[in-house]
Amino acid sequence: GLDRSLDHQKKAKELNLVTDCLTLNQLIQKVDIIILAIPVHNAQEMIVDILNDIPERTYLLDMGSTKSGICDIVKDHPKRSHYVACHPMTGTEYTGPNAAVYDLFDQKPVIICDKEESGNLALEAAQQMFQALNMRILYMDSKDHDTHAAYVSHISHISSFTLALSVLDKEQSESAIFDLASGGFESTARLAKSSAEMWSQIFIQNKDSLLEVLDVYSYWLRKFRVAIEDEDVEALNNLIKE
């Protein structure tokens, strides 16, 4: 394995998540599959250099939450066939080796994007790995993926960050909020503990789709606000049922 944090490298070895930690150049020459699981902007900065040096027998997978940007960067690369664009739709709000979860991928969907751009051998290697993890494999155009991800994943994180900020703002004068907070708040705000570095970049990478979904989200928030302000029980019932 490889991690920019020496503490993470040490902990990964202690937990037996990796047998050894090497430099990137050593890894590229030693492994059959390179899995790039880092913030999207870092992956975009590294991917061309990795493909430049990758041996014929080695394949590259990235696990980023947005796909069209990185796919555009490598679309004309002579070793594009060695690369498979992937997005496992799972994760937790925690980071680092201690956050590893044994069955994290079990029965979860994984999206493979622009599969026609990947070589058959690279695609087969990725599919076999995901099948071994008992994942459900789906295929999608990278731009379509980013639009769907904005609606089913990225907006959830923005909602969680917004809720947490709203409560923290109020908590300055009413600490009882946290004493009263239970399951509903906890489950909704869980994602607010996610990595700021990672998610700020995801939001920028998926700007166009995310602005669209934020407009839709704001539309429905206004509907709820008007119904509550007007004490319109029927309108609220209809909104909640829908």
Side-chain angles (χ1 to χ4, degrees), residues 21-229:
C21 291
L22 306 175
T23 67
L24 182 58
N25 287 336
Q26 289 171 329
L27 275 172
I28 290 173
Q29 300 304 319
K30 196 176 182 75
V31 303
D32 299 314
I33 299 177
I34 301 167
I35 301 173
L36 205 53
I38 59 177
V40 174
H41 67 294
N42 295 126
Q44 291 183 349
E45 291 168 356
M46 294 175 65
I47 190 167
V48 171
D49 288 337
I50 294 175
L51 284 177
N52 287 343
D53 296 335
I54 208 167
E56 279 303 313
R57 59 172 178 77
T58 303
Y59 309 114
L60 172 65
L61 283 59
D62 96 286
M63 303 289 159
S65 294
T66 61
K67 300 266 67 107
S68 61
I70 197 166
C71 286
D72 284 345
I73 287 173
V74 299
K75 64 181 180 180
D76 296 321
H77 195 283
K79 293 183 180 176
R80 173 62 179 86
S81 61
H82 288 251
Y83 166 61
V84 185
C86 311
H87 181 199
M89 298 292 289
T90 185
T92 73
E93 65 272 32
Y94 302 108
T95 58
N98 282 320
V101 177
Y102 175 75
D103 59 352
L104 179 68
F105 302 105
D106 188 52
Q107 290 295 314
K108 297 297 193 301
V110 57
I111 316 299
I112 293 179
C113 291
D114 299 347
K115 71 171 186 175
E116 65 281 355
E117 302 295 329
S118 300
N120 291 335
L121 293 177
L123 195 59
E124 185 178 339
Q127 291 167 333
Q128 287 179 355
M129 186 184 77
F130 293 131
Q131 287 164 355
L133 292 168
N134 203 28
M135 300 193 78
R136 297 185 290 112
I137 303 174
L138 306 170
Y139 303 95
M140 203 171 286
D141 172 83
S142 57
K143 289 181 171 55
D144 289 343
H145 163 275
D146 288 359
T147 299
H148 297 317
Y151 276 90
V152 301
S153 173
H154 303 169
I155 191 62
S156 301
H157 283 78
I158 288 184
S159 299
S160 190
F161 294 136
T162 304
L163 174 63
L165 287 169
S166 300
V167 173
L168 285 169
D169 186 56
K170 192 68 174 174
E171 192 268 343
Q172 294 173 11
S173 58
E174 294 186 30
S175 60
I177 284 177
F178 282 109
D179 294 330
L180 298 174
S182 58
F185 173 81
E186 194 170 3
S187 61
T188 308
R190 174 183 67 83
L191 297 175
K193 291 185 270 187
S194 299
S195 164
E197 180 187 8
M198 182 175 78
W199 279 98
S200 61
Q201 288 296 329
I202 289 172
F203 294 156
I204 298 302
Q205 290 287 334
N206 208 16
K207 171 185 170 181
D208 292 340
S209 295
L210 205 44
L211 289 176
E212 176 186 311
V213 71
L214 278 170
D215 287 341
V216 175
Y217 190 72
S218 298
Y219 168 83
W220 289 106
L221 273 179
R222 286 194 297 272
K223 287 273 192 182
F224 271 99
R225 193 190 192 288
V226 169
I228 292 169
E229 186 176 31

